Amino acid sequence: MYMDVITREILFNRVRSWMLEAGAFIRHKINDPLVINTKSNPKDLVTEMDRKVEFFFASKIKRYYPDHLLLSEEGYGDKLADTSGTVWVIDPIDGTMNFVHQKQNFAISIGIYDQGVGEIGFIYDVMRNNLFSAMRKNGAYKNDQRLPRLDENKSLNESIICLNHYWLTENRLVDEKVMQQLIKDVRGTRTYGSAALEFSYVAEGSADAYITMGLEPWDFAAGKIIVQEVGGVTTNITGEEVGMLDRTSIVTCNPSIQGFLIEYLMKAKK
Ligand code: IPD
Ligand code: CA
Ligand code: CA
């Protein structure tokens, strides 16, 4: 059973206003001194702001939707055994390194799944005040503008691909020689340092694919829904469907180049 349309619309509008409120708070505090900590390794940063924003949404969910569940990065979430129920998948700041070093190029990302089906997605580019949103089978928007469906005639040599350059160095996951060939065969590559923003660029067609070797559910939950609403596709690097609970590799792209990308990646996989 899908979520009913009225419930979904009310939920969508509430999340939208909370996103805007959280974004305004971040902009207001953007020049305040930061408390920065590291998590799994010295490059894995977290700030007080990551925790505050997640707490803001966790408190709203508890108050307005006590029967909903939360899957999130910074510790206010629930432990989920499966995909049942209505689940908010939240990354309070995606692109924390950019937040710390650049004070821009980060996003709040929220995907809402009902019984495992992606119903609502929001990616908020806070500093540019661009809000990407989508509801299942209702199209995707950048602010109030509906995003057009992706160009079905895109070729690889006209495509811009977002990549994380880290795994183009010698690594244990992919044969870097094959990846180097892919880079030669596309028009250009970009690295933005925020998975959520990279999904939103694929959705608006300013990039044609985003490929990465490992993302957590909160990095891609919203993006997958938004990309799907413009006719884009999201799988792992071997072309399989990705679940909303697990860490996975990701290829999100214009469908006209998907076959080529998966072919390169299958060849490159170690
Ligand atoms: C990270 C960013 C980055 C991606 C990492 C993510 P965070 O999220 O999306 O672009 O390469 O895999 O973990 O830690 O800034 O929320
Ligand atoms: Ca993230
Ligand atoms: Ca984060």
Side-chain angles (χ1 to χ4, degrees):
M1 258 282 281
Y2 291 124
M3 189 181 264
D4 82 78
V5 176
I6 298 172
T7 310
R8 194 174 72 162
E9 187 108 13
I10 294 169
L11 182 56
F12 180 90
N13 288 326
R14 279 221 175 109
V15 186
R16 187 176 179 280
S17 74
W18 295 341
M19 295 285 284
L20 295 175
E21 189 181 334
F25 176 75
I26 297 173
R27 285 194 298 274
H28 180 63
K29 298 277 181 191
I30 196 74
N31 291 317
D32 285 7
L34 282 175
V35 181
I36 305 162
N37 290 300
T38 56
K39 294 193 286 185
S40 59
N41 63 65
K43 294 180 184 182
D44 187 6
L45 308 179
V46 62
T47 71
E48 263 316 290
M49 188 58 88
D50 297 68
R51 296 200 180 96
K52 271 189 185 149
V53 174
E54 185 169 308
F55 181 72
F56 169 82
F57 284 104
S59 312
K60 295 281 191 203
I61 297 166
K62 204 172 247 168
R63 173 153 177 224
Y64 288 88
Y65 297 102
D67 56 331
H68 288 188
L69 296 160
L70 170 61
L71 178 61
S72 56
E73 188 172 14
E74 307 301 350
Y76 296 102
D78 300 295
K79 290 255 170 304
L80 303 188
D82 55 39
T83 58
S84 55
T86 303
V87 183
W88 297 53
V89 190
I90 300 188
D91 193 337
I93 296 189
D94 180 63
T96 297
M97 200 183 283
N98 290 346
F99 172 71
V100 168
H101 287 261
Q102 305 176 338
K103 298 187 194 295
Q104 60 174 340
N105 303 322
F106 60 88
I108 304 172
S109 174
I110 299 186
I112 301 181
Y113 285 68
D114 192 54
Q115 318 304 330
V117 177
E119 292 285 351
I120 292 173
F122 279 103
I123 294 173
Y124 190 19
D125 180 341
V126 170
M127 301 313 287
R128 295 185 184 86
N129 197 16
N130 279 331
L131 183 62
F132 293 85
S133 66
M135 277 195 274
R136 186 178 56 80
K137 292 201 186 296
N138 230 14
Y141 288 79
K142 180 179 184 180
N143 302 318
D144 295 331
Q145 292 287 313
R146 189 170 174 144
L147 294 173
R149 285 188 75 79
L150 298 177
D151 174 4
E152 285 171 14
N153 298 310
K154 217 9 115 57
S155 61
L156 202 60
N157 61 12
E158 293 172 321
S159 294
I160 291 185
I161 311 288
C162 300
L163 304 158
N164 180 344
H165 294 132
Y166 192 71
W167 50 264
L168 296 174
T169 60
E170 199 177 343
N171 74 83
R172 68 192 157 79
L173 296 172
V174 284
D175 178 346
E176 56 283 359
K177 293 272 177 307
V178 180
M179 301 316 298
Q180 287 159 10
Q181 188 58 47
L182 172 63
I183 287 174
K184 284 183 191 158
D185 290 346
V186 298
R187 179 170 280 172
T189 57
R190 298 289 184 272
T191 300
Y192 294 103
S194 159
L197 286 181
E198 286 165 290
F199 268 91
S200 65
Y201 299 153
V202 172
E204 71 173 1
S206 59
D208 304 296
Y210 168 53
I211 303 172
T212 179
M213 293 301 142
L215 288 186
E216 299 293 341
W218 42 82
D219 298 315
F220 65 83
K224 183 172 180 253
I225 299 167
I226 297 172
V227 164
Q228 180 174 309
E229 284 304 313
V230 292
V233 279
T234 303
T235 64
N236 65 15
I237 58 164
T238 50
E240 292 146 340
E241 179 82 24
V242 294
M244 58 163 266
L245 294 180
D246 303 314
R247 183 174 172 83
T248 177
S249 61
I250 287 281
V251 180
T252 187
C253 62
N254 182 316
S256 59
I257 59 168
Q258 184 193 27
F260 299 112
L261 294 178
I262 300 293
E263 209 174 293
Y264 279 94
L265 289 161
M266 296 282 267
K267 230 187 284 165
K269 197 166 175 276
K270 279 185 178 164

